[in-house]
Amino acid sequence: MFRRLREANPNPTTELTYTSPFELLVSVVLSAQATDVGVNKATAKLYPVANTPETIYALGEDGLIPYINTIGLYRSKAKHVIGLCKMLIELHTSTVPNDRASLEALPGVGRKTANVVLNTIFKQPTMAVDTHIFRLANRTGLATSKTVLDVEKKLLKNIPAEFMLDAHHWLILHGRYVCQARKPKCGECIIVDLCDYKAKTV
């Protein structure tokens, strides 16, 4: 399965637009229950104006909201981002920490967000399970469970080590564009013969 995904896309990466670890962290926080496209549109206006913990913190919640108010839950996200900036400045010399405990202690950063940052920025073999990966893992039989954490643990156990670093991006892109929720594009799927999904559309 992963050999085919690698052949089709040798260098997968996030679709969020960023130029620094801090920008990626903020973008991932903003992307909760929102699309990467929507987040990129907002940050394309925000980051040229403020893209460090100090400059975003200086905006305050009221100054940040006009940049992100096209994103769902923008008020709570503004609060999280400002709080996150404050903690980075005070506790981490304005740098993004490279360990899970420190990341998850930041406002708005849960296990999934921490995993994205650890994997994408710090090249750690983590698995950030979002709705796409949860669906894909259960459908294919790659990792079946009713809980996100259990799927994450099973994926980490089942995916061969040589593919682990890029596995998160291969799975999320496949779930986003091929193994879609309402009508999976099984006719276009390069791993269809390896998949356990009984309701295939072919």
Side-chain angles (χ1 to χ4, degrees):
M1 187 181 287
F2 284 96
R3 198 175 296 120
R4 292 183 196 176
L5 292 171
R6 180 171 65 186
E7 287 170 1
N9 185 3
N11 299 296
T13 188
T14 179
E15 292 188 312
L16 289 169
T17 303
Y18 69 98
T19 61
S20 69
F22 174 71
E23 285 186 3
L24 178 66
L25 175 61
V26 171
S27 289
V28 178
V29 170
L30 294 176
S31 73
Q33 299 179 339
T35 66
D36 287 0
V37 172
V39 172
N40 288 340
K41 284 182 179 177
T43 58
K45 297 175 182 176
L46 171 64
Y47 292 156
V49 175
N51 70 340
T52 65
E54 289 83 0
T55 53
I56 289 183
Y57 184 66
L59 289 175
E61 287 179 45
D62 290 341
L64 178 58
I65 283 173
Y67 291 100
I68 65 169
N69 62 9
T70 54
I71 302 172
L73 309 174
Y74 66 87
R75 291 190 187 279
S76 62
K77 288 177 182 178
K79 184 176 181 179
H80 289 324
V81 170
I82 295 302
L84 174 157
C85 290
K86 186 173 189 286
M87 282 186 69
L88 288 178
I89 294 165
E90 294 178 351
L91 302 178
H92 302 286
T93 61
S94 298
T95 58
V96 176
N98 64 355
D99 67 283
R100 178 184 302 284
S102 296
L103 283 167
E104 290 188 12
L106 298 170
V109 178
R111 186 175 183 88
K112 186 183 77 173
T113 298
N115 280 337
V116 172
V117 173
L118 290 171
N119 178 260
T120 305
I121 298 297
F122 299 109
K123 305 303 178 188
Q124 295 184 21
T126 60
M127 178 56 62
V129 179
D130 69 346
T131 54
H132 298 299
I133 293 179
F134 184 77
R135 176 177 68 251
L136 181 63
N138 276 287
R139 277 183 180 173
T140 59
L142 190 59
T144 56
S145 178
K146 293 181 179 179
T147 72
V148 169
L149 183 58
D150 201 32
V151 165
E152 178 188 327
K153 290 178 178 178
K154 288 182 177 180
L155 287 172
L156 290 172
K157 180 182 176 183
N158 294 343
I159 296 170
E162 69 172 295
F163 301 107
M164 195 60 235
L165 190 60
D166 290 322
H168 161 253
H169 291 119
W170 281 318
L171 294 178
I172 197 170
L173 292 170
H174 195 72
R176 186 173 289 166
Y177 296 111
V178 181
C179 194
Q180 297 175 335
R182 293 183 181 177
K183 192 175 181 182
K185 300 176 180 178
C186 301
E188 300 174 20
C189 180
I190 60 174
I191 55 173
V192 65
D193 57 315
L194 306 175
C195 171
D196 291 344
Y197 189 45
K198 290 182 172 61
K200 289 175 185 171
T201 58
V202 288

